[in-house]
Every structure is written in structure tokens, then in C-alpha cells.
Amino acid sequence: MNFSFKNIFAFLALAFLVLSCRTSDSDEIIPTTNTELNGFLKIKEITNDTHIIELYSKTGTTQLGYNDLKLRFKNKATNQYETPANVKWTPLMNMMNMTHSCPKSELQNTLKDATIYGGYMVFQMPENNMEFWNLKIDYSIGTADFSATGNLSVPASTKKTVNVIVGSDNVKYIVAYVEPISPKVATNDVTIGVWKMQDMMSYPVAEGLSVKLDPRMPGMGNHSSPNNVAATQSAAGGLYKGKISLTMTGYWKINLQLLNQSGVVLKGEDVTDANPASSLFFELDF
């Protein structure tokens, strides 16, 4: 009886070893998830005769305000992802009598995969029945130049995350909320983008300003919170970083004031008993 149990045990151990080896071999040939796209969902595909251009975001949509986007190019004939050069994207709002673009970054190869390109766009107005956004992508591979265009859906938002304003300096600015995406009851790191309208197609980053933050809860006596830090740039061309203190869950109005390098207010007002909100603000509800 003991001999039989030993044989059975040896057989099971051998079977487990063989199974383990096969599983290990199988794991080596299964493609792993691309870490550069972890947390991103495909929005849509934009195509031309040669390529399928895949567009991704963290929500699987494009939305009013700031959008962190990634794209990559698949060759239709080979089914392989390629690394184009001179990649440029041009978002356009098509209106009845005119077109205009929006703030956007340059497209850059991501660090871990040269076939994936990343950047941001800031849609400052939503689509409607008569006006819509599309995206034109130009690029080259070798000596060949390519272009592809597709429509983008940018619906209206229930919360204010982007402002289009004219400052006291007569410059038109776009001020957009970037992060935190998931705020917490804590002092949160906050990121804000500020761009200026140079013309209908060019919206460079506004340099050297600051954004004063005053979070308030209108439904709770319009109380504020401590330890807020104005958002400023750490480098030219960058977004603005600061801190907001959120002391409880619920609806918050993040009142803003945009100031120039001399501390002169370009837009926005102090919150007082007589003035419960600034004309420049974002909304959070968590």
C-alpha cells in the first residue's frame, strides 16, 4: 500500500512539473499588454488607403476641455504598427462661416514604444447640430507623405472644466482643468492649463502667469478650505501646478483668478459675502 501511494505521488509530481513547464512556455509566446496604453481605451479609428490610425483616451471618448490622447498607425497590408515621421495633428471646429482650431501639444513618441504617439488637445466649445469637430493627421514614412481625417464627438459637459475669457489685457485665454481626475478628501495636487489665442489656428501656452484658487461649497454655506496654493509654471511651455484642499465630498466650485507676472488680476474676482463666486471657475462633484 505504501509503495502504491509513493507511485501515485511521484506520478502527480511529474504531471505537475510537465504542466508547469508547458504553462511557462505558453506564457512566453502570449503577447503582453502594451504598458503605454494601460488605462487607455480606443476612441475610434481614422483611416486612409494605407493606414488605420487608432486614437485612444483614458475615457474612450473625446470631451469638452482637456484631453490626454494617444495614437498609433497600423499598416493595412502588413497589419503591423509603424513609426511615421513629421506627425502633425490639426483639430478643427467647423462652423457655418468659419473654422478654428484649439490648444494642443506637439505629438511625441512615447518613451517605451516608438509606434505610440502622445499629446493633448483642449476643446473649448462643444459640438451641436450645425457645428462639429474633426481631426486631420499628416505624417510621412520614408519619402511618402500621408494624410487622414475623421470626425470627433465633443458633447456638452454637465460640469464646467474649461473657460474662454478675455483678460483685462484684451488677450483671449483658454483656462482648462486637467487634474486630479479623481479628487479626494485631502489636499490635492491640481494641474491647470492656460493658453492664449494668437489667431484662429494658433493657441500657445500662456507663460509666466499664476492662477489663484479658492474652492467653495455653495450648498454648505459657501465655506472654503485651508492650505490652497496658487497654480504656477515650473518650466516654460508647461502646465500650471498648485494645490486645492477639499475637506468633504460633494459639489465644489473652484473659484479662480488669473494674474499676470506683476500680480495684476486679468480675470476673476475675490469671493466675498457680497460676491459669492468668481466669474472664472471650475466645477467638481465627487
Side-chain angles (χ1 to χ4, degrees):
M1 181 66 67
N2 289 340
F3 179 79
S4 297
F5 277 123
K6 288 180 180 178
N7 283 345
I8 292 171
F9 180 81
F11 175 80
L12 292 174
L14 180 62
F16 179 78
L17 179 62
V18 171
L19 181 61
S20 297
C21 291
R22 287 179 179 174
T23 302
S24 178
D25 291 342
S26 177
D27 287 345
E28 290 177 2
I29 63 174
I30 295 174
T32 58
T33 301
N34 193 313
T35 56
E36 290 295 310
L37 292 177
N38 280 354
F40 282 77
L41 301 171
K42 187 188 292 185
I43 301 169
K44 67 177 303 173
E45 296 177 346
I46 299 173
T47 65
N48 56 26
D49 292 340
T50 309
H51 295 99
I52 298 170
I53 304 172
E54 301 171 346
L55 184 65
Y56 295 83
S57 74
K58 292 181 179 179
T59 61
T61 62
T62 40
Q63 58 191 12
L64 189 64
Y66 181 90
N67 292 260
D68 180 14
L69 301 170
K70 295 187 187 297
L71 54 81
R72 56 181 179 172
F73 301 76
K74 182 188 286 186
N75 187 297
K76 288 182 176 180
T78 65
N79 209 37
Q80 298 297 310
Y81 290 105
E82 297 186 331
T83 307
N86 306 314
V87 183
K88 296 181 180 179
W89 55 0
T90 305
L92 281 176
M93 164 53 80
N94 297 268
M95 307 175 76
M96 291 185 64
N97 300 315
M98 59 177 287
T99 59
H100 65 77
S101 188
C102 66
K104 66 182 186 341
S105 68
E106 299 296 323
L107 278 166
Q108 302 288 340
N109 295 99
T110 58
L111 296 176
K112 296 180 181 178
D113 188 334
T115 69
I116 300 174
Y117 295 75
Y120 68 74
M121 293 183 191
V122 183
F123 300 111
Q124 70 269 46
M125 62 182 295
E127 65 191 11
N128 57 49
N129 291 336
M130 301 295 293
E131 301 166 335
F132 63 93
W133 287 93
N134 63 20
L135 176 62
K136 183 174 183 284
I137 303 170
D138 297 295
Y139 57 100
S140 60
I141 297 178
T143 59
D145 295 327
F146 300 91
S147 182
T149 302
N151 288 347
L152 296 176
S153 176
V154 184
S157 174
T158 58
K159 296 289 184 293
K160 193 174 187 68
T161 60
V162 63
N163 296 262
V164 180
I165 61 171
V166 177
S168 58
D169 55 359
N170 292 318
V171 174
K172 181 175 282 189
Y173 294 97
I174 292 88
V175 183
Y177 179 86
V178 179
E179 291 181 331
I181 295 174
S182 300
K184 298 178 179 179
V185 177
T187 299
N188 295 257
D189 293 326
V190 64
T191 303
I192 295 169
V194 186
W195 300 265
K196 61 182 180 180
M197 180 180 173
Q198 186 168 293
D199 55 48
M200 299 295 281
M201 298 300 295
S202 180
Y203 297 78
V205 170
E207 305 287 357
L209 307 180
S210 61
V211 186
K212 185 179 176 182
L213 307 165
D214 187 355
R216 299 277 176 157
M217 293 197 82
M220 299 290 290
N222 211 38
H223 72 75
S224 187
S225 61
N227 304 319
N228 299 291
V229 178
T232 57
Q233 281 180 310
S234 60
L239 300 176
Y240 287 68
K241 309 280 187 177
K243 293 183 182 294
I244 50 171
S245 175
L246 304 175
T247 55
M248 60 190 298
T249 58
Y251 172 77
W252 287 83
K253 179 174 282 188
I254 312 301
N255 296 281
L256 310 171
Q257 286 182 294
L258 184 66
L259 288 73
N260 68 12
Q261 292 177 325
S262 300
V264 175
V265 176
L266 300 176
K267 189 68 174 180
E269 301 79 32
D270 286 320
V271 177
T272 64
D273 290 340
N275 182 58
S278 173
S279 59
L280 180 61
F281 63 92
F282 300 132
E283 294 176 293
L284 297 178
D285 197 351
F286 72 105

